[in-house]
Amino acid sequence: MRRSLFGRTWPNVIAVVLFVFFIFPVYWMVATSFKQDRDIISKTPVFLPLDGTLDHFTTAVNAPNFWTYVLNSVTVTVGAVLLSLAIATLASFAIARMKFRGRKTFVLIIMVAQMAPWEVMTIAVYMISRDNDMLNSLLPLTLFYMMMVLPFTIWTLRGFIAAVPKELEESAMVDGCTRTQAFVKVIFPLLAPGLMSTSLFGFITAWNEFPLVLILNKEEGKTLPLWLSSFKTAFGNDWGATMAASTMFAIPVLILFIFLQRKAVGGLTDGAVKG
């Protein structure tokens, strides 16, 4: 009985310890965003800001070009996600359903592209943007972010399409649907978990990207990750405003994850093992 109780207890203890370990930095970020300046720089850690303030959030929102950066981030992130989903849906259908020469090679290229570090393309993207007069533009960012998430999106959706029985598609075609109509009416509705999981992955990747926008875009073309690095004073970093800005920056991802949680997590596992 004692061994059985120990066997049930220690996994829960480890899970709690890991949860606290990973959640503490997030808690510290949020707590610091509400602290008074004296508590932030105090040598004695203040874990609970009882006399909290919203001044740091006010400073962050009133920072120069804040709403411009918000609009830029939303534009490039949503654009990259929608483009990757549109292209990946068609490409994954072709890989999963059609037989053509070079199919296995194409799948291998997708896997290699997923594993390769995207930083190797930074110089090429900069030169292409410079030569085509697209520096300080959102278009190169959107296209590059789309390329970053496209291999993962294709690979995941391929698993979902391969898991759909061909008989469903063939039955729809027997009933008078074209292949395109069968895809739209039969297969596409079944891809919802995969679309949600890949959308979440693409959103987080594009939302958090920092180096490329730092290289390509100037002040009016920057996004929120660069905004986070702008809170400095004559005495150094304004940590209160930085933590408040970081908290606000994380909120859209948190809301999206909560909204898509169940289907997104299931989509990641199902798409990885099927097909």
Side-chain angles (χ1 to χ4, degrees), residues 22-33 46-49:
F22 286 108
I23 202 66
F24 180 77
V26 179
Y27 167 77
W28 192 256
M29 175 186 72
V30 177
T32 302
S33 66
V46 178
F47 291 94
L48 189 62

Side-chain angles (χ1 to χ4, degrees), residues 25-231:
V26 179
Y27 167 77
W28 192 256
M29 175 186 72
V30 177
T32 302
S33 66
F34 289 100
K35 292 177 184 178
Q36 301 284 350
D37 289 334
R38 64 176 183 274
D39 294 330
I40 295 176
I41 62 177
S42 174
K43 293 183 179 180
T44 302
V46 178
F47 291 94
L48 189 62
L50 298 178
D51 56 343
T53 177
L54 296 176
D55 291 344
H56 301 309
F57 289 93
T58 302
T59 301
V61 172
N62 292 331
N65 297 320
F66 167 69
W67 293 110
T68 300
Y69 295 163
V70 170
L71 180 60
N72 291 345
S73 287
V74 171
T75 300
V76 298
T77 300
V78 173
V81 171
L82 292 180
L83 281 174
S84 64
L85 288 179
I87 297 174
T89 301
L90 300 177
S92 58
F93 177 79
I95 296 173
R97 284 287 193 262
M98 300 179 182
K99 304 295 182 181
F100 55 89
R101 181 177 298 179
R103 176 174 172 270
K104 293 183 178 180
T105 303
F106 183 66
V107 173
L108 179 61
I109 292 175
I110 292 175
M111 295 179 63
V112 172
Q114 175 63 28
M115 294 184 292
W118 60 265
E119 289 85 354
V120 299
M121 295 188 293
T122 302
I123 296 177
V125 172
Y126 174 81
M127 295 179 65
I128 293 173
S129 300
R130 181 198 61 189
D131 295 342
N132 290 276
D133 195 24
M134 292 193 299
L135 291 177
N136 203 36
S137 171
L138 299 182
L139 180 60
L141 288 178
T142 304
L143 296 177
F144 186 75
Y145 295 164
M146 181 269 293
M147 290 187 293
M148 289 172 58
V149 302
L150 188 59
F152 174 84
T153 306
I154 293 175
W155 182 260
T156 302
L157 293 181
R158 166 187 171 272
F160 277 91
I161 294 177
V164 177
K166 292 184 179 180
E167 290 76 13
L168 294 178
E169 185 180 355
E170 293 171 353
S171 297
M173 295 175 67
V174 169
D175 290 338
C177 291
T178 64
R179 189 158 196 172
T180 301
Q181 291 174 333
F183 172 78
V184 173
K185 295 180 180 180
V186 177
I187 296 180
F188 188 77
L190 299 177
L191 299 181
L195 294 173
M196 290 183 179
S197 60
T198 52
S199 297
L200 181 60
F201 172 81
F203 185 92
I204 294 174
T205 301
W207 187 257
N208 293 333
E209 200 281 328
F210 180 87
L212 187 68
V213 66
L214 177 64
I215 296 172
L216 293 183
N217 288 14
K218 297 180 181 179
E219 191 68 27
E220 63 274 11
K222 293 181 179 179
T223 54
L224 287 177
L226 272 75
W227 168 69
L228 295 179
S229 64
S230 64
F231 297 99

